[in-house]
Structures are given as structure tokens and as C-alpha cells.
Amino acid sequence: MESTSIDPTTWETLKVAAVAAMEKAYAPYSNFKVGAAALTTDGRLISGCNVENAAYGVTLCAECSMIGELFATGGGKLRAFYCVDASGSAIMPCGRCRQLLSEHRGENMELMTPRGVRSMDQVLPDAFGPHNL
Ligand code: THU
């Protein structure tokens, strides 16, 4: 079934939620706070922030804590995603987090990026996934 694209009001709601999450980030090492927010296919709004660690490699990206909230609030799939830096500008999710988002994408999931709205296939073409196992 073809779903209609995400409207500007919903993008604004996601941005506001991402900024609120970003403000809670723990990023004393990089000083690069990130907030992520998503709308699920059943209409929930979830968010997350990056949580760094003195052992740098243990750092959790904002998307990781957001996916934790996805499951803590009932699971499901993502319909739209937005992540921001400290200035509130959209940033691209890192490669690892594109893989994370890909696992939990709903049909026609849309991502806000610095260059506008993109599909998961556009930001992670030919993704490895459950179909490979
Ligand atoms: N970061 C995220 O939270 N998500 C991304 O997609 C990119 C990077 C965080 C990790 C680290 O705390 C900081 O940004 C600098 O890399």
C-alpha cells in the first residue's frame, strides 16, 4: 500500500523532539551533542541522545538510545526519522546507525537529511539485512 509522504508539521514535531533529546546528551569528550527522533508506523514519537564514555569506543550514538526507546515502548517499525546537532541542523546518521535504522525501518520510511528528505534505500543502498541470513 502506498503511504503519503510526511507533512511539514510532522517534520517540525520531529525536529522539536530531536532538539529536546539533544539537550540531554552526555557528550563531554567530543562536545558534539546529537538528538534523534522518530515517528513509528503506529504513531508513537520516540527519541534519544548520544551518551559518551571515557572509553571512547563505548559511546552510544543518539540512534542507539532511540532504538532502545522503540522497544521499551512496545517495538514496531519506523515511519520517519530526524537527527540534529547542537545547532538544531539535520545531520546524516553515521554508517553504523544507518544499518541500525535499516533493521527497524517501516515501509517507505523517510529520513530528514541536510539535503532534504531521503529514503532508506537512498542512504544505505543494497543494505545487508535479515534477508541475507
Ligand atoms: N553521533 C551520534 O550520536 N549519531 C550519529 O549518527 C553520528 C555521531 C555522536 C557520537 C559521538 O558522541 C558524537 O556524535 C561525535 O562523533
Side-chain angles (χ1 to χ4, degrees), residues 56-67:
Y56 300 156
V58 179
T59 288
L60 302 177
C61 281
E63 294 87 337
C64 297
S65 56
M66 188 196 81
I67 294 298

Side-chain angles (χ1 to χ4, degrees), residues 77-96:
K77 296 291 181 189
L78 305 175
R79 176 69 184 89
F81 172 81
Y82 206 132
C83 76
V84 299
D85 62 17
S87 71
S89 300
I91 59 167
M92 286 305 295
C94 74
R96 177 186 182 280

